[in-house]
Amino acid sequence: MTTPGVDDAVQEQPEKEPVTERRLHPITPLRRAWAPVAVVIGWAVHDPDQTQRQLTRLTTTTLLIALAVIVPAAALYGFLTWWFTHFAVTDTELRIRTGLLFRRTAHIRLERIQAIDVTQPLLARVAGVAKLRLDVVGADKKDELAFLGEREARALRAELLARAAGFAPETAHEVGEAPARQLLHTPPRDLALSLVLTGATWGSLVAALVVPPLLWMATHSVWTVLATALPLLGAAGASSVGRFVTEYDWTVGESPDGLRIDHGLLDRTHETVPPGRVQTVRIVEPLLWRRRGWVRVELDVAGSSNSVLVPVAPREVAEAVVARVLPGVTVPPLSALSRPPRRAGRCVPLWWRGYGLAVTDSVFASRQGLLRRSLALVPHAKVQSVRLEQGPWERLWRLADVHVDTGANKTVTARLRDAQEAAELLKSQAERSRTGRKGARPDRWMV
């Protein structure tokens, strides 16, 4: 005797499809094979004198035998690490299984994914492969799948975004990559000129040219000069050539899964700024850019390394992009920012004039800097805590600082406000944050 309806219910339950594990691109072993070689090179660099003495003792036959052992060992290591690396996409998570001797399985829940970027180093572009890098809530570093075929990486990214947005597993792989509409493109000429007009570029270059000769005159030590000159030259290159190579062909596009950022001269990067994850936006205006009306837009994204939204653009264009990443937010004009009281000059002479504050219905806006202005915008819904601090010198002049903490472990400060104003701001901002979170947009993609 059977209970009516039970067998029918059992028969109607769809069987779950078995999870299919996949491997990385076959070119991956070439990347992994460098590990044993890197160990040998690291040992040689660590003790160059000992390395030189050992090499002089070796004969040509011994060197050839050593190469005959090291090269196949490196190739075998690369192949085995690739062979034992698998990944699979289930209904709720991305599972990555790695390890040759010590097994490691990463279970990345889809709802915890904050951003998925596709990056292509120069050699990877030549080989037609790409890395898939994932920003996950609570993870200190990114998990990555390196390498996948370029088309496979983009298809997997689209599938993961679709599943994170709530699409059914059986239809997620059919959604494909959402179309994007271009909002901004930075011409190479503007980018190069903006770097020339940046004080940091000239400061690091002058330091690299002036400090080494002075050290040589004082010490007459080649090693001291090299130990100082090389880092200074590296800093000068990173602030000029390095930034140009990284931010070359910067394009911002709008799609249902967020703002897409493509950039890079040698290494191409395809990033996504997820809607609802942006905690703070900063509009930076260096002194030499003001005549041209240019600004730079930086941002803080919870759990993500994305830090630049617009490398250089006219202010009105940049503000239009900010309006897309922070819907409903209007950037307060400079005339709307209130300065601290004049007695603030007793605490911070001259530079107090660079501080300003504006609180609108949507954001907490704080400005600082005279030569390099920086206006930070924090949506009320993203404020995690509000603090008031007052040092002894500030208490003497009835001043206080109000700190606003965000979910990206960053702090925006309204400096040197009147003590009574700061106390009222503390209470009102706590209330705005509470009500702002109730009406905030969801953080999920495409929702």
Side-chain angles (χ1 to χ4, degrees):
M1 181 177 178
T2 59
T3 303
V6 173
D7 291 342
D8 295 338
V10 172
Q11 293 177 358
E12 291 176 359
Q13 292 180 355
E15 295 183 0
K16 290 186 177 181
E17 296 183 1
V19 177
T20 303
E21 290 192 337
R22 290 180 274 177
R23 285 194 175 92
L24 302 176
H25 195 276
I27 203 175
T28 305
L30 297 178
R31 169 181 177 257
R32 304 283 179 85
W34 282 101
V37 179
V39 172
V40 176
I41 295 176
W43 171 78
V45 173
H46 177 70
D47 193 353
D49 294 335
Q50 180 68 17
T51 303
Q52 185 177 4
R53 285 195 295 267
Q54 293 293 340
L55 288 176
T56 55
R57 296 176 184 175
L58 297 178
T59 63
T60 304
T61 304
T62 306
L63 288 175
L64 292 176
I65 294 175
L67 289 176
V69 173
I70 293 175
V71 173
L76 180 62
Y77 172 83
F79 173 80
L80 291 177
T81 54
W82 168 77
W83 182 263
F84 286 100
T85 299
H86 302 81
F87 69 94
V89 182
T90 68
D91 295 348
T92 58
E93 65 183 16
L94 170 64
R95 189 182 305 156
I96 305 176
R97 188 156 54 90
T98 59
L100 178 58
L101 299 178
F102 301 96
R103 305 297 291 169
R104 174 183 178 269
T105 303
H107 298 268
I108 303 172
R109 297 192 63 82
L110 299 181
E111 68 270 15
R112 304 288 289 177
I113 294 177
Q114 301 206 101
I116 304 177
D117 304 330
V118 177
T119 62
Q120 284 187 287
L122 179 60
L123 294 180
R125 292 175 61 186
V126 175
V129 297
K131 291 183 182 180
L132 202 67
R133 307 184 67 189
L134 302 100
D135 276 323
V136 183
V137 176
D140 294 333
K141 63 178 182 178
K142 293 184 178 183
D143 284 287
E144 67 177 23
L145 294 173
F147 290 95
L148 299 171
E150 184 177 356
R151 291 185 179 179
E152 183 184 6
R154 292 182 178 273
L156 180 59
R157 175 188 177 276
E159 180 182 355
L160 293 175
L161 290 179
R163 293 201 184 195
F167 284 91
E170 59 272 11
T171 60
H173 66 279
E174 300 175 358
V175 173
E177 191 170 22
R181 180 175 63 90
Q182 182 172 307
L183 297 178
L184 174 142
H185 178 262
T186 301
R189 178 179 177 275
D190 290 354
L191 178 60
L193 184 57
S194 70
L195 294 175
V196 172
L197 297 178
T198 300
T201 301
W202 290 103
S204 57
L205 183 60
V206 169
L209 295 177
V210 173
V211 174
L214 293 178
L215 284 177
W216 172 255
M217 294 172 61
T219 64
H220 293 283
S221 173
V222 176
W223 294 110
T224 301
V225 172
L226 289 178
T228 305
L230 292 179
L232 290 176
L233 289 174
S239 62
S240 54
V241 179
R243 274 185 55 181
F244 181 83
V245 171
T246 301
E247 299 175 356
Y248 180 83
D249 194 28
W250 193 281
T251 304
V252 180
E254 185 180 34
S255 71
D257 54 2
L259 291 186
R260 293 187 188 164
I261 302 175
D262 294 275
H263 61 93
L265 177 61
L266 301 179
D267 299 350
R268 291 294 296 176
T269 302
H270 178 86
E271 302 175 337
T272 302
V273 179
R277 297 291 188 184
V278 177
Q279 308 293 310
T280 307
V281 171
R282 287 180 300 277
I283 300 177
V284 181
E285 188 179 19
L287 176 63
L288 299 179
W289 289 16
R290 296 176 193 172
R291 185 175 180 180
R292 294 180 171 270
W294 286 348
V295 296
R296 176 182 177 89
V297 182
E298 302 172 349
L299 41 75
D300 298 324
V301 181
S304 174
S305 60
N306 293 327
S307 60
V308 180
L309 180 61
V310 178
V312 57
R315 174 176 284 273
E316 59 274 11
V317 176
E319 291 184 357
V321 177
V322 172
R324 307 308 299 176
V325 76
L326 296 179
V329 171
T330 301
V331 179
L334 296 179
S335 58
L337 299 171
S338 62
R339 283 182 177 177
R342 295 188 64 86
R343 62 181 183 275
R346 308 289 179 87
C347 295
V348 183
L350 185 62
W351 295 103
W352 71 273
R353 296 178 179 274
Y355 298 124
L357 174 68
V359 181
T360 68
D361 294 337
S362 54
V363 294
F364 178 95
S366 177
R367 190 191 74 176
Q368 62 179 2
L370 277 178
L371 302 180
R372 186 178 185 269
R373 296 175 182 168
S374 177
L375 178 63
L377 307 174
V378 183
H380 297 312
K382 301 303 179 183
V383 175
Q384 300 293 316
S385 63
V386 186
R387 296 176 288 115
L388 186 146
E389 291 186 1
Q390 191 178 37
W393 193 246
E394 291 178 326
R395 283 200 301 270
L396 178 64
W397 299 105
R398 304 185 309 280
L399 299 171
D401 299 336
V402 177
H403 302 274
V404 171
D405 302 316
T406 69
N409 295 324
K410 301 291 184 179
T411 300
V412 174
T413 304
R415 291 219 56 200
L416 304 176
R417 310 307 302 181
D418 179 81
Q420 183 177 356
E421 176 196 359
E424 295 174 355
L425 180 62
L426 181 71
K427 296 179 181 179
S428 60
Q429 185 58 46
E431 179 63 22
R432 291 189 190 96
S433 302
R434 184 181 63 82
T435 57
R437 281 191 290 270
K438 290 183 178 180
R441 297 178 62 192
D443 289 347
R444 299 288 296 276
W445 280 287
M446 306 184 224
V447 177

